[in-house]
């Protein structure tokens, strides 16, 4: 996919003077220049020229309509035209172009000018203080932003810092009051150090576009954390190769996933299938009696009512499409689990809007319904839950590959029978003994978290997205290894949230899933989910092989130990 970058923004003036006010002052200083009008180039007076073209336009239009009516009555083909009709058509086009240019350009220019002035108007807050909003940030910027040049002196910065420390200016309002997102982060950082008496030295501040996170990713920033990104692959999945970005601070993780990718590649590649695609939200409502709650349950689960509820739900978005509704009762409380498709977005906000529309609609026929919360944990978001393990949430994916015997021996350094036995005792029996919920795997969460952070997903949704069962079986007379991972609730998106930041956008672009798919809405996010499952398959294969071969401790001692610490210990 091609990566497009907007041109850099010009530096913005600081203080309380808006760009519009500044432009007005500069124009007042400039010497007056002669004003030229389009009508100056006309050979005749403006009113006479307009009258001629108006008359020409309507007269030839009337003539052509009259001629075409006669042709229709006499069954004459319309494409057979005379010389006079050709001249009339040319005159009609010429007069139309003149009228469109004369009146259309003036209208567009006035509209653009008005919109530009309104965009830079000063907005006043509740305390009648002037606020300059930060302009919207680019969707993706693959280069470090230019350093922000401030025009206010350090003395004025010091006054702002003291006001924050004294509580006179709320820390969260610095961006809107200063109009400079980076300067706000710098002042907030210094105020925080003074209030806590602790240094933030080592936490980077420069080299980050703070405007890109305003209002969508992080509030009250004081810097950013650097996480290295490694590349595993190529992962051969469904006939295509993918270089998988993984953001992690754990040694051996990328190397292990890379070895798994190598084994998959040498065996002809993995295959994946998308089983389900639907984000969920489950509000909890309460009635005076359990009978009344049951009546709503029957109403919602009646197929005759689904079409009406779908129309109400789908009004929330162009991409939200209600799939099904599941209900569960606890006394007089009803938990309603809505599931819907969400295009290329992860979709939590989208489904919540749709749920809100349905609840408002239901209260017309159920006025005694009390909405306790838009989320009642029957969803279930960012928590291990059997409902996600069984019903699925987000994307449900299964991925498989058959590893050849020689690859198991040469690349993975073990044998098929040992891997099958280890998987049964560790991933299946051991997890059952531990009472695991969705954790029938070696380390799916490792791979999921690393890809989530690299591609701008919600890291907390690693909880349910890492639900995975790893299966291994000897095939082809026990010579080869069939391994699969089944992941019922991978929650990913390629638009919205952190996916719009420069670094994360670059990682999505590397995978070929950046942004929304125009040809097939939702296909980019579904492909990302399959890549996650394929990467988990590679990670499971490599780690299980390392444990089976007794290499786990040695590899971590080699790759997961800081060379600096070793040098210190030796000295």
């Amino acid at each position: 996919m091609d990566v497009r970058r907007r041109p850099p923004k010009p530096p913005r003036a600081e203080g309380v003077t808006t760009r519009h006010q500044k432009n007005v002052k500069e124009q007042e200083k400039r010497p007056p220049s002669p004003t030229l009008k389009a009508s100056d180039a006309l050979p005749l007076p403006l009113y006479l020229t307009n009258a001629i073209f108006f008359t020409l336009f309507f007269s030839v239009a009337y003539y052509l309509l009259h001629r075409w009516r006669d042709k229709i009555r006499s069954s004459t083909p319309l494409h057979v035209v005379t010389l006079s009709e050709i001249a009339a058509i040319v005159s009609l086009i010429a007069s139309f172009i003149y009228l469109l240019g004369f009146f259309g350009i003036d209208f567009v220019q006035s509209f653009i000018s008005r919109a530009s002035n309104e965009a830079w108007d000063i907005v006043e807050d509740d305390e009648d203080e002037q606020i300059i909003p930060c302009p919207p940030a680019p969707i993706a910027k693959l280069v470090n932003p230019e350093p922000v040049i401030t025009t206010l002196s350090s003395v004025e910065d010091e006054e702002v810092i003291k006001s924050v420390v004294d509580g006179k200016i709320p820390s969260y309002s610095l961006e809107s009051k200063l109009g400079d997102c980076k300067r706000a982060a710098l002042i907030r950082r210094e105020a925080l150090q003074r209030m806590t008496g602790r240094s933030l030295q080592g936490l980077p501040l420069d080299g980050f576009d703070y405007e890109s996170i305003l209002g969508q990713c992080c509030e009250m920033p004081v810097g950013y954390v650097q996480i290295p990104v490694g590349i595993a692959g190529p992962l051969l999945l469904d006939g295509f190769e993918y270089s998988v970005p993984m953001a992690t601070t754990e040694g051996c993780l990328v190397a292990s996933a890379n070895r798994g990718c190598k084994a998959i590649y040498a065996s002809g590649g993995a295959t994946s299938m998308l089983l389900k695609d639907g984000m969920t939200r489950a509000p909890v409502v309460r009635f005076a009696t359990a009978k009344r709650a049951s009546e709503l349950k029957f109403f919602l689960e009646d197929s005759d009512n689904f079409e009406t509820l779908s129309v109400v739900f789908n009004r929330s978005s162009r991409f939200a499409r209600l799939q099904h509704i599941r209900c569960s009762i606890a006394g007089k409380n009803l938990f309603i689990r809505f599931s819907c498709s969400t295009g290329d977005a992860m979709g939590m906000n989208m489904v919540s809007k749709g749920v809100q529309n349905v609840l408002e609609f239901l209260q017309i026929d159920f006025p005694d319904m009390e909405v306790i919360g838009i989320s009642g944990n029957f969803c279930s978001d960012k928590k291990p839950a059997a409902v996600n393990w069984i019903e699925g949430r987000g994307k449900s994916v299964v991925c498989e590959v058959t590893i050849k015997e020689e690859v198991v021996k040469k690349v993975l350094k073990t044998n098929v029978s040992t891997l099958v036995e280890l998987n049964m005792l560790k991933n299946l029996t051991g997890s059952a003994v531990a009472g695991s919920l969705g954790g029938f795997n070696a380390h799916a969460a490792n791979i999921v978290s690393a890809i989530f952070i690299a591609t701008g997903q919600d890291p907390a949704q690693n909880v349910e997205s890492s639900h995975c069962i790893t299966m291994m079986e000897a095939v082809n007379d026990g010579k080869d290894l069939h391994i699969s991972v089944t992941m019922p609730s991978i929650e990913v998106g390629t638009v919205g949230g952190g996916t719009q930041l420069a670094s994360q956008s670059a990682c999505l672009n590397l995978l070929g899933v950046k942004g929304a798919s125009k040809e097939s809405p939702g296909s980019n996010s579904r492909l990302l989910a399959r890549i996650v499952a394929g990467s988990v398959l590679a990670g499971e294969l490599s780690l299980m092989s390392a444990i089976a071969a007794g290499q786990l401790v040695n590899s971590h001692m080699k790759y997961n130990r800081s060379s600096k610490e070793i040098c210190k210990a030796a000295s």
Side-chain angles (χ1 to χ4, degrees):
M1 298 179 64
D2 76 1
V3 180
R4 303 190 180 187
R5 185 170 65 237
R6 294 183 182 177
K9 301 175 183 177
R12 188 169 61 247
E14 307 299 333
V16 296
T17 302
T18 65
R19 180 179 296 180
H20 177 62
Q21 292 172 330
K22 181 179 178 181
N23 290 341
V24 171
K25 293 179 180 179
E26 290 178 352
Q27 290 173 2
E28 291 175 352
K29 297 177 182 179
R30 295 173 185 168
S33 57
T35 303
L36 297 178
K37 299 181 180 179
S39 59
D40 293 342
L42 298 176
L44 297 175
L46 183 61
Y47 71 91
L48 186 56
T49 306
N50 287 345
I52 292 174
F53 277 97
F54 264 114
T55 305
L56 180 64
F57 178 80
F58 288 108
S59 60
V60 297
Y62 175 79
Y63 171 75
L64 288 173
L65 290 174
H66 182 73
R67 290 289 301 158
W68 290 339
R69 185 186 63 179
D70 292 342
K71 287 184 178 181
I72 293 173
R73 289 178 177 178
S74 60
S75 300
T76 304
L78 294 178
H79 64 272
V80 177
V81 293
T82 64
L83 185 61
S84 60
E85 289 174 345
I86 294 175
I89 293 174
V90 173
S91 300
L92 181 69
I93 295 174
S95 58
F96 176 77
I97 292 174
Y98 170 83
L99 295 174
L100 179 64
F102 186 84
F103 294 100
I105 293 177
D106 181 67
F107 171 76
V108 172
Q109 287 178 339
S110 63
F111 179 79
I112 295 175
S113 176
R114 183 171 65 253
S116 176
N117 292 339
E118 290 174 355
W120 290 97
D121 281 347
I122 294 179
V123 182
E124 297 184 355
D125 63 2
D126 295 336
E127 300 176 358
D128 295 331
E129 294 175 339
Q130 291 177 320
I131 302 174
I132 305 175
C134 292
I139 291 178
K141 192 182 294 182
L142 300 183
V143 295
N144 289 334
E146 295 295 330
V148 178
I149 302 175
T150 58
T151 58
L152 294 182
S153 66
S154 59
V155 175
E156 294 185 55
D157 285 351
E158 182 66 26
E159 292 178 357
V160 178
I161 293 172
K162 289 181 179 179
S163 297
V164 174
V165 173
D166 296 338
K168 297 178 181 178
I169 297 180
S171 177
Y172 61 80
S173 67
L174 287 174
E175 280 79 4
S176 61
K177 292 184 182 298
L178 299 177
D180 186 331
C181 296
K182 181 181 178 182
R183 180 165 168 255
L186 175 63
I187 290 176
R188 180 182 297 112
R189 178 191 181 104
E190 179 59 29
L192 179 64
Q193 292 182 129
R194 295 186 188 183
M195 287 188 291
T196 61
R198 298 183 182 276
S199 173
L200 286 177
Q201 183 179 3
L203 181 68
L205 178 70
D206 295 325
F208 188 82
D209 184 4
Y210 291 93
E211 291 180 356
S212 66
I213 64 173
L214 183 65
Q216 70 171 3
C217 290
C218 180
E219 299 75 38
M220 296 185 288
V222 294
Y224 61 96
V225 174
Q226 297 168 310
I227 301 179
V229 177
I231 297 296
L235 170 66
L236 183 56
L237 179 68
D238 300 321
F240 295 91
E241 297 180 7
Y242 301 97
S243 296
V244 184
M246 301 174 63
T248 182
T249 56
E250 178 183 352
C252 285
L253 181 60
V254 179
S256 178
N258 192 64
R259 183 173 75 149
C261 291
K262 180 180 179 180
I264 292 173
Y265 199 103
S267 299
T271 303
S272 66
M273 286 295 296
L274 185 82
L275 307 177
K276 294 180 183 178
D277 182 8
M279 181 51 64
T280 64
R281 174 60 83 198
V284 53
V285 300
R286 182 169 60 193
F287 290 88
T289 63
K291 178 182 178 181
R292 188 65 172 149
S294 301
E295 291 175 358
L296 178 57
K297 179 181 185 297
F298 296 144
F299 176 85
L300 291 171
E301 294 183 346
D302 188 343
S303 58
D304 293 338
N305 300 322
F306 182 78
E307 184 176 354
T308 301
L309 295 174
S310 296
V311 172
V312 176
F313 185 97
N314 297 345
R315 288 188 314 211
S316 62
S317 169
R318 292 180 299 156
F319 304 104
R321 293 295 178 267
L322 184 63
Q323 296 173 337
H324 57 77
I325 302 174
R326 299 284 184 270
C327 296
S328 181
I329 281 186
K332 59 183 182 178
N333 305 298
L334 180 64
F335 297 82
I336 313 168
R337 193 173 194 258
F338 295 81
S339 178
C340 81
S341 59
T342 57
D344 282 306
M346 184 270 289
M348 286 297 300
N349 293 333
M350 194 181 299
V351 67
S352 296
K353 292 177 183 177
V355 169
Q356 186 67 43
N357 290 344
V358 174
L359 292 177
E360 293 174 358
F361 173 78
L362 290 175
Q363 285 195 311
I364 298 175
D365 294 327
F366 296 86
D368 53 335
M369 179 183 71
E370 180 185 0
V371 179
I372 303 301
I374 191 69
S375 175
N377 274 9
F378 187 41
C379 310
S380 174
D381 186 42
K382 302 174 183 176
K383 292 164 284 291
V387 68
N388 291 338
W389 178 246
I390 298 171
E391 298 258 346
R393 189 171 194 256
K395 278 71 173 171
S396 301
V397 182
V398 60
C399 189
E400 65 179 349
V401 66
T402 299
I403 306 297
K404 298 177 182 179
E405 181 181 24
E406 57 268 24
V407 176
V408 174
K409 292 180 179 179
K410 294 181 180 180
V411 178
L412 302 177
K413 311 299 183 184
T414 184
N415 58 75
V416 174
S417 60
T418 302
L419 277 174
V420 172
E421 182 181 26
L422 176 63
N423 184 73
M424 181 188 66
L425 293 177
K426 171 183 168 59
N427 289 341
L428 304 182
T429 308
S431 296
V433 171
S436 177
L437 179 61
F440 298 91
N441 58 80
H443 71 148
N446 248 340
I447 309 297
V448 173
S449 295
I451 299 177
F452 270 31
I453 295 173
T455 58
Q457 311 303 313
D458 189 339
Q461 290 185 324
N462 165 70
V463 176
E464 62 268 41
S465 296
S466 296
H467 281 352
C468 172
I469 181 169
T470 301
M471 304 291 292
M472 292 187 186
E473 179 184 352
V475 294
N476 300 330
D477 297 328
K479 295 181 180 180
D480 302 332
L481 173 72
H482 180 273
I483 176 174
S484 67
V485 293
T486 306
M487 306 179 70
S489 51
I490 302 177
E491 299 168 352
V492 292
T494 58
V495 296
T499 64
Q500 300 180 76
L501 301 182
S503 302
Q504 290 82 343
S505 179
C507 291
L508 288 170
N509 187 63
L510 177 66
L511 293 172
V513 295
K514 175 185 172 183
S517 172
K518 297 180 180 179
E519 296 78 15
S520 177
S523 61
N524 280 354
S525 61
R526 290 192 288 267
L527 176 55
L528 178 58
R530 287 161 45 205
I531 292 173
V532 170
S535 303
V536 169
L537 181 69
E540 291 289 281
L541 187 61
S542 182
L543 177 58
M544 292 295 289
S545 299
I547 296 175
Q551 301 171 338
L552 181 65
V553 175
N554 291 336
S555 61
H556 276 76
M557 291 298 293
K558 180 178 180 181
Y559 296 107
N560 202 22
R561 306 271 300 179
S562 172
S563 59
K564 295 181 180 179
E565 297 298 328
I566 294 176
C567 293
K568 290 181 180 179
S571 60

